[in-house]
Structure formats: C-alpha cells, structure tokens
Amino acid sequence: MRKVLLLGASGSIGTQSLDIIERHKDRFLLTGFSLGQRVQYVPEVLRRFPSVHYLCVSNASDAENLRKTYPNLEIYHGDEGLVSTIERCPCDMVINALVGFAGLVPSVTSLRLNKILCLANKESLVVGGSIINGLLASGKGKLWPIDSEHVAIAKLLSCIKRENLSRILITASGGSFRNKSREELSHVTREDALAHPTWSMGAKITIDSATMMNKGFEIIEADVLFGIGVDRVTPLMHDESYVHSLIELKDGTLLADVSKPDMHGPIEYALMEGEVPFEPVKGQCLEDFAPYHFHAFNPDRYPAVPLALSSHKKGGNSNAILNASNEIAVYAFLEKRLPFLQIEEEVRYALNTLPWMENPTLEDLIRTDALTRDAVKRHIGG
Ligand code: NAD
Ligand code: MG
C-alpha cells in the first residue's frame, strides 16, 4: 500500500489523479492533499477519500474557516504550508500537480525526504533540473514524470538497448493557433487561445501550448530526465495527438507510443511506478485513430522553442528567468493586459536583461524568480 499526498488536487492533473487513486484503492491510500483557492471542492474530496488527515490551501483565511469545519484535520496554508504538509503528512509518494514555479520547492522537499515523486509540474524540472538530478543521485527519492510525451519516451526507452538510440522525436499538436500564420496571431484573444484542439488542460499550459513554450519546456524536460541533450530531441508536428512521441534507432527504425489523448494513462503509469496494468482498453485499434498527420516543425513559426532551448544551453539561472518571465506574460495575456505575440517578447526581454549566474543554489533560483517577476511586471506596466 502506498500512502499518497496529492498537491494541486483541484486542477486538471489533480482531479484525474484522484480518479486513478480511486481506481486502485487496493494500492493507494490518500493521506493528504492541497489545492489553491477552490476550497468549495474540499468536502467532495474528503467524502471520496475519508483517509485524508492533512490539507493545505493557498489563503490563511480559508485555512482558518476550514479548521472550524474540520477540527480533526491538520490544515496548512501558503507556500510554507505546502512544505509543512510534505514534512508532516505520512506518505511514501507525492504527486506534484501544481502549476508554475510554485511547484519547485515542493519537488525539492519531496526528494530531500526520499519520497517517490510523481511529477506533472514540469516547471520544477525546467528551472531546477540540476538540483533535482543531484537529489536523485545522492538520495533515495525516485521521480516518475507525468507528461504524455515523457511517459511515452520512458516506455519506449525501456524496450531498447540505450546504445541503439539515435534520437527522440517529441510530438506537438501545435496548440489552438496551429492553422494561423504569424501575422494572424497579432489579434487573437484569450478565448481563442484556450480552445485547444486535442487536449483539455489547465489555462497556463493551454497558453504554453499555443505559443509552444510548452514544447520548449518538454525538450528541456527530456534532457533532464533522460540525459540525452536537447540537440537529439526533435519536435515533430502531429495533428491528432494520438502518437505521444517516437524514438529513432541508429538503423533508422522508428518506435512509437500510440493511444488516445487522455492523461489518465500517463498518470496511471507514473503512480504504478512504471508497471503497466494488464487491462487492455477496449476498442483501441490503430485504424480507429487514423488518419495520422505529421509535419516538420518550423522554428520561425514558433520562436518560443528556440528561445527556450538557447536558455537551457546557456544554463545557470537562465531557465529560472525563462520560466518566470513566461509565467508573468502568460497571466498578463489571460488577464487581457498583453497581446499574444508579446508573450515571447517579454521572455526575450527578460533573458537579455536579468543578471545571469553560474551554478545557482535553490535560494539563488528563488531570488532570480522574484527579480524576474518584478522586472517583467514593470516592463508590461499597467
Ligand atoms: P491547473 O491549473 O488545472 O491546476 C493547478 C493546481 O495547482 C490547482 O489545484 C491549483 O489550485 C493549484 N495551484 C496553482 N497555483 C498554486 C500555488 N501558487 N500554490 C498552491 N497551489 C497552487 O493545472 P494543470 O493543467 O493540472 O497542470 C499542472 C501541471 O501539470 C503543470 O505544470 C502542467 O504543465 C503539467 N501538465 C499538465 C497536463 C494537463 O493535461 N493538464 C499535461 C502534462 C503536464
Ligand atoms: Mg506534454
């Protein structure tokens, strides 16, 4: 039995993780969870999972009210509360389904405490990849990614001898604006951007998919997880999101992972720690998903990808600048304070302006994140 703490329970990955925990009741016991401001969701989670005794929410006032309603629960709040919850809640496994930089310290804390970390929060890996890999090498913690492409790649790599690998082809749907030219992007709205053609996800990652910053992040994520180097990860446009990624062997053979676009599968694979549950999904035949369309990736159409990769190659605290500026710009776009095409301009501005440093500690990354947020907010104005 694995005792599980779920961070970000009210989100897209969080709610689907609850489904998987419920599906495998014999294997998982939910002992705690966190969510941000959607506290109206707390009673439902507690009804479904009476084993929960630890809870964390964003606001102090919400925590205070919840303590009155649930005197038997240990309830925390805010960023520090997330750390306390990981420290106090009896758990073997932490699912990090938080969005953004807020997920980094919880990831690091989980690994410092030698937990099994099921990680959807890719921003942790983008910003703190070296620190996370250091903790994995020196401690007893484990990491299972929750991202459809990386679960696909992990599965495919487990089928081959590593020395036969030539490169990874990471698929990309192209997001909500894939049929628009750069010129047509200047007037797109928040509502247009949130209508993703193949996946239903949280708002931030849906915008990251439209700019393709998400694919830049995922190539970095692949390097951190599989140590392959970003030059051996090639993005490949694929309209239907059925082929989750491919690997190419040295003799040119391509191996692909094909299934419906549904995050329950990757979440289940991570929570089962790479064990594939023997329950073939009915009606999944290759022809059901056909036809498949693939196109070459055009970096001029999606400049966020080369921007992300050059940041990663620069190293140091550069990815913290990349991530923080992107977060501030994405939320400004969602609040209708910034045009869509300006998102990547704000990232470029931050990468060119903020001070670079080699070998940052966690505290340096936190400082870089805060400095970048302030600088980009000032630059956007309003
Ligand atoms: P979401 O916005 O739907 O959910 C985020 C969760 O985190 C919510 O529970 C929210 O309350 C909580 N949260 C947000 N900010 C917080 C803060 N500052 N402090 C505490 N809690 C906070 O996001 P999502 O789409 O589920 O994505 C979560 C992560 O998973 C992201 O890093 C995303 O890139 C990654 N991911 C998502 C998908 C997907 O299909 N949604 C797929 C692959 C990877
Ligand atoms: Mg993905």
Side-chain angles (χ1 to χ4, degrees), residues 51-235:
S51 50
V52 167
H53 282 99
Y54 292 78
L55 176 57
C56 182
V57 293
S58 282
N59 297 328
S61 55
D62 286 333
E64 203 43 57
N65 289 334
L66 285 162
R67 275 185 207 109
K68 287 181 196 139
T69 318
Y70 303 106
N72 296 333
L73 299 190
E74 229 173 271
I75 302 179
Y76 297 91
H77 73 270
D79 292 347
E80 284 169 19
L82 281 173
V83 172
S84 306
T85 310
I86 301 166
E87 286 168 349
R88 297 269 310 153
C89 177
C91 62
D92 321 291
M93 180 178 272
V94 177
I95 305 172
N96 184 346
L98 299 168
V99 62
F101 184 80
L104 174 63
V105 171
S107 288
V108 168
T109 306
S110 303
L111 291 177
R112 278 186 183 150
L113 295 170
N114 296 316
K115 308 285 184 190
I116 302 161
L117 174 63
C118 295
L119 186 57
N121 181 261
K122 63 186 84 185
E123 294 90 345
S124 297
L125 288 176
V126 169
V127 177
S130 318
I131 291 175
I132 286 177
N133 273 338
L135 286 166
L136 286 168
S138 64
K140 292 203 177 73
K142 297 264 180 307
L143 194 160
W144 292 93
I146 299 180
D147 206 344
S148 57
E149 295 80 0
H150 304 80
V151 166
I153 295 162
K155 279 188 198 168
L156 293 169
L157 289 177
S158 74
C159 303
I160 65 156
K161 284 193 192 135
R162 188 60 190 263
E163 66 260 32
N164 292 336
L165 178 70
S166 167
R167 62 176 177 150
I168 289 171
L169 293 156
I170 191 163
T171 46
S173 71
S176 12
F177 300 140
R178 62 190 186 190
N179 296 323
K180 291 194 188 305
S181 65
R182 290 282 298 169
E183 292 65 43
E184 289 171 307
L185 291 179
S186 47
H187 299 297
V188 292
T189 66
R190 168 189 203 268
E191 288 67 32
D192 301 332
L194 287 176
H196 194 283
T198 53
W199 290 98
S200 161
M201 309 179 287
K204 195 247 175 191
I205 187 177
T206 304
I207 305 305
D208 284 344
S209 301
T211 59
M212 283 262 267
M213 182 60 83
N214 182 52
K215 209 47 58 181
F217 281 4
E218 289 185 348
I219 296 173
I220 298 171
E221 192 184 354
D223 179 37
V224 175
L225 291 169
F226 307 115
I228 183 170
V230 293
D231 291 334
R232 286 171 71 202
V233 185
T234 310

Side-chain angles (χ1 to χ4, degrees), residues 3 127 165 294 347:
K3 293 197 181 94
V127 177
L165 178 70
F294 298 97
V347 174

Side-chain angles (χ1 to χ4, degrees), residues 189-191 330-339:
T189 66
R190 168 189 203 268
E191 288 67 32
V330 167
Y331 287 111
F333 169 73
L334 283 170
E335 289 158 15
K336 306 193 174 187
R337 293 188 287 108
L338 192 74

